[in-house]
Amino acid sequence: MVRDPFADEEGPDLQDVLDALDDPKCRAIVRNLEEPMTAEEIADACDVPLSTTYRKLDLLTEASLLREGMEIRPDGQHASKYEVDFEEVVVAVSEDREFDVGISRVPRTADERLQDLWSEVRKET
């Protein structure tokens, strides 16, 4: 089996996940993301200023709760689109009494993985 070069082997930081889930605007974004949307579409749907939306999107992507993809447009003006990237978040206590967070995700199709790869290439160019 080929290793996913974009998989986060360590998982997200517990505090990042808790901070994102504690934020009412972040929760509103997750509730409104029924399909991939641009930051502008999210700002409109959630009635949140665009500058605030970008900060909340950064918080959610850092916590591995959203995935940023690239919409390829024929005119060359490509746009980032965001989508929810989890099914379930579980906070547990280990035998050592340490808190741990686990995020379960829907497996991505080959097309979605290719889109992720293209998004990463576009970020580097």
Side-chain angles (χ1 to χ4, degrees):
M1 186 168 160
V2 177
R3 187 181 77 78
D4 182 354
F6 301 109
D8 189 356
E9 292 178 12
E10 291 183 23
D13 181 67
L14 172 65
Q15 193 60 53
D16 289 343
V17 174
L18 294 176
D19 289 345
L21 293 175
D22 185 47
D23 188 299
K25 289 184 172 83
C26 286
R27 291 193 309 268
I29 289 171
V30 170
R31 275 193 306 273
N32 282 284
L33 267 175
E34 294 179 17
E35 62 185 41
M37 298 168 73
T38 65
E40 292 82 8
E41 292 168 336
I42 294 167
D44 289 342
C46 297
D47 196 28
V48 175
L50 188 57
S51 59
T52 301
T53 300
Y54 278 114
R55 284 194 306 275
K56 302 307 177 183
L57 291 171
D58 285 343
L59 187 60
L60 287 161
T61 53
E62 183 68 26
S64 299
L65 299 175
L66 292 186
R67 181 164 52 111
E68 180 181 0
M70 185 71 63
E71 177 183 51
I72 308 301
R73 297 178 176 167
D75 64 2
Q77 299 297 318
H78 309 310
S80 290
K81 284 207 165 192
Y82 299 87
E83 63 183 302
V84 174
D85 194 27
F86 70 96
E87 286 188 318
E88 181 179 60
V89 175
V90 176
V91 177
V93 178
S94 70
E95 290 180 11
D96 298 331
R97 308 305 292 166
E98 295 289 328
F99 286 96
D100 191 25
V101 64
I103 298 179
S104 62
R105 304 179 195 287
V106 176
R108 294 201 296 265
T109 67
D111 288 344
E112 290 170 327
R113 292 170 56 86
L114 181 59
Q115 181 182 3
D116 291 344
L117 176 62
W118 181 248
S119 293
E120 290 299 316
V121 168
R122 291 291 300 164
K123 287 178 189 175
E124 298 295 323
T125 59

